[in-house]
Amino acid sequence: MTDAVQFHVSRARILLVGLVLGPLMTAAAGLVLVAAVVPTAVPWLAPPSPLLWLLYVVAGVAGTAFFGFMTVAWLMLLRGPGPRLVVDAEGFTDTSSALGSGRTTWDQVVGWHLHHAQRQTNLCVVVQDPEAVLGRMGPVARLISRGNVKLVGTPLCIGLNNLGGAEVVLPVFEQHYDRWVRENAGTTEV
């Protein structure tokens, strides 16, 4: 990793999401659950029918679990001061989110594309063996990444907004990949 380029996540954004937005969404999902279980506690939100009651319970439990997990995952990003994306001559290491794929070498990469959702830009790296990438992930990350496969065609998506944006990360990514292709021309199918 002689020419490695490191990208760090914005601590201010982590704190905003992890200490403000995450707990608010967890509390909102919990409120929906409370409204279903104890309708008199939140009368203005009480479900008017049994079908809506079931929907409230499912949404409350799923929302509380999901947003609670994501809040903890965001706050875990604060645990280490190190870089969250490292791009070098052999590949890249992504630990920028709870879905970070870890180490991926250039010989596993088939291509990539950008995916825009809301105001977030993701670098979606298409790999030869998505199941190998999924196998390196924990069970929750694997489940969410399977959704990425259905949505964008690959489990490996790197959020670029927290790393400086596409205009900063993409040129470095392309430069290192192109250099790897030139150095390995004829030895590996790209």
Side-chain angles (χ1 to χ4, degrees):
M1 282 208 255
T2 57
D3 62 337
V5 179
Q6 301 178 350
F7 297 94
H8 296 267
V9 175
S10 163
R11 286 194 172 295
R13 189 173 293 230
I14 291 171
L15 289 172
L16 173 68
V17 172
L19 293 178
V20 178
L21 297 178
L24 282 176
M25 294 303 292
T26 305
L31 185 64
V32 169
L33 184 59
V34 167
V37 176
V38 187
T40 57
V42 192
W44 54 271
L45 191 58
S49 73
L51 181 60
L52 281 177
W53 179 86
L54 179 63
L55 182 65
Y56 275 34
V57 170
V58 170
V61 169
T64 303
F66 175 77
F67 290 115
F69 168 78
M70 294 309 288
T71 299
V72 170
W74 269 96
L75 291 175
M76 286 178 63
L77 287 176
L78 290 173
R79 75 181 185 276
R84 295 301 173 192
L85 177 64
V86 178
V87 183
D88 59 38
E90 291 84 35
F92 61 94
T93 304
D94 172 31
T95 57
S96 61
S97 73
L99 304 180
S101 62
R103 184 73 179 158
T104 303
T105 55
W106 292 125
D107 63 338
Q108 297 172 315
V109 175
V110 175
W112 59 80
H113 61 276
L114 293 178
H115 179 261
H116 304 278
Q118 302 290 325
R119 291 187 284 176
Q120 176 70 33
T121 301
N122 293 299
L123 175 62
C124 302
V125 182
V126 181
V127 291
Q128 289 178 359
D129 186 6
E131 288 300 319
V133 173
L134 290 167
R136 295 191 309 247
M137 297 178 173
V140 175
R142 187 178 311 118
L143 178 68
I144 295 169
S145 293
R146 285 193 192 284
N148 284 343
V149 171
K150 292 178 183 174
L151 180 66
V152 296
T154 181
L156 211 162
C157 297
I158 303 169
L160 298 179
N161 292 28
N162 293 333
L163 298 169
E167 61 279 353
V168 175
V169 177
L170 204 51
V172 172
F173 206 82
E174 290 171 342
Q175 174 190 11
H176 282 81
Y177 180 74
D178 290 345
R179 184 183 313 149
W180 180 85
V181 168
R182 284 192 308 275
E183 290 173 359
N184 294 285
T187 60
T188 304
E189 187 178 316
V190 180

